[in-house]
């Protein structure tokens, strides 16, 4: 993997990991998500990890589709990433991903997403629901922002200010 691809993916993965802790600052949001996961028959830990990777994949897909240089990743609008989460099919989210990952946790999450995407049936329904959850979380985050068009960089700065783990 070239250095630029690795850095881009790491930024996307960082956004994915920050998403739920940032959204969970809103009262009741975590409980609502847990109830949704239970209703859909998705294990909470698996569902939340898939939400993280779906957010990262959506951000990565937008960056790749728009030929956004890694240095400009922070300028990607959150609403654009939110729409990619629901507007792109699984194979489109996987396009352009690095062949290898430096973080085993990311590699495992992407592998789980791949398995779910190609398994079909129940797993496809799960990804449908989870992509909607990602979109909702990104929109909530965008609406909470004081910026007129909140970006991935704004979300990452908020995560850093909140001392969220990377």
């Amino acid at each position: 993997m070239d250095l630029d691809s690795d850095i881009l993916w790491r930024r996307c993965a960082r956004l994915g990991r920050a998403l739920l802790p940032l959204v969970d600052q809103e009262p009741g949001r975590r409980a609502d998500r847990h109830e949704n996961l239970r209703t859909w028959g998705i294990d909470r830990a698996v569902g939340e990890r898939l939400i993280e990777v779906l957010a990262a994949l959506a951000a990565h897909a937008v960056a790749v589709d728009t030929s956004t240089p890694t240095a400009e990743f922070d300028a990607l609008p959150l609403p654009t990433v939110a729409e990619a989460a629901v507007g792109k099919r699984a194979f489109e989210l996987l396009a352009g991903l690095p062949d290898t990952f430096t973080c085993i946790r990311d590699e495992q999450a992407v592998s789980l997403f791949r398995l779910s995407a190609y398994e079909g049936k129940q797993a496809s329904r799960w990804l449908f629901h989870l992509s909607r959850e990602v979109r909702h979380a990104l929109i909530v985050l965008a609406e909470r922002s004081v910026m007129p068009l909140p970006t991935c960089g704004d979300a990452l700065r908020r995560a850093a200010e909140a001392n969220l783990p990377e």
Side-chain angles (χ1 to χ4, degrees):
M1 165 187 341
D2 66 56
L3 183 59
D4 198 47
S5 294
D6 181 49
I7 293 170
L8 175 61
W9 172 255
R10 285 180 190 216
R11 297 290 289 166
C12 295
R14 190 166 161 223
L15 176 68
R17 284 190 293 277
L19 180 62
L20 294 179
L22 284 171
V23 170
D24 286 350
Q25 293 175 345
E26 179 178 300
R29 184 66 203 125
R30 177 183 287 165
D32 289 346
R33 182 178 60 256
H34 290 174
E35 180 58 32
N36 286 340
L37 292 171
R38 194 173 16 264
T39 299
W40 300 326
I42 303 172
D43 175 79
R44 185 174 65 203
V46 170
E48 290 185 345
R49 186 62 184 123
L50 281 170
I51 287 169
E52 288 177 12
V53 79
L54 260 161
L57 289 168
H60 190 268
V62 170
V64 169
D65 287 354
T66 59
S67 301
T68 300
T70 300
E72 296 175 23
F73 171 79
D74 285 2
L76 290 178
L78 284 178
T80 303
V81 175
E83 291 311 311
V86 295
K88 292 192 172 291
R89 297 178 59 145
F91 68 87
E92 292 175 304
L93 291 174
L94 292 167
L97 274 182
D99 293 328
T100 59
F101 297 87
T102 55
C103 174
I104 189 71
R105 187 171 187 264
D106 291 343
E107 185 173 357
Q108 289 171 341
V110 169
S111 293
L112 176 60
F113 179 84
R114 274 191 181 106
L115 286 171
S116 299
Y118 295 115
E119 182 180 307
K121 298 180 185 171
Q122 182 68 25
S124 291
R125 281 192 293 277
W126 288 352
L127 291 181
F128 172 80
H129 291 304
L130 294 173
S131 68
R132 300 258 179 269
E133 191 73 23
V134 168
R135 180 185 180 280
H136 177 72
L138 287 165
I139 295 300
V140 164
L141 209 54
E143 288 174 348
R144 239 198 262 151
S145 176
V146 295
M147 306 301 285
L149 184 60
T151 64
C152 293
D154 295 329
L156 291 173
R157 276 187 291 285
R158 285 177 55 195
E161 290 167 2
N163 292 320
L164 297 177
E166 295 183 25

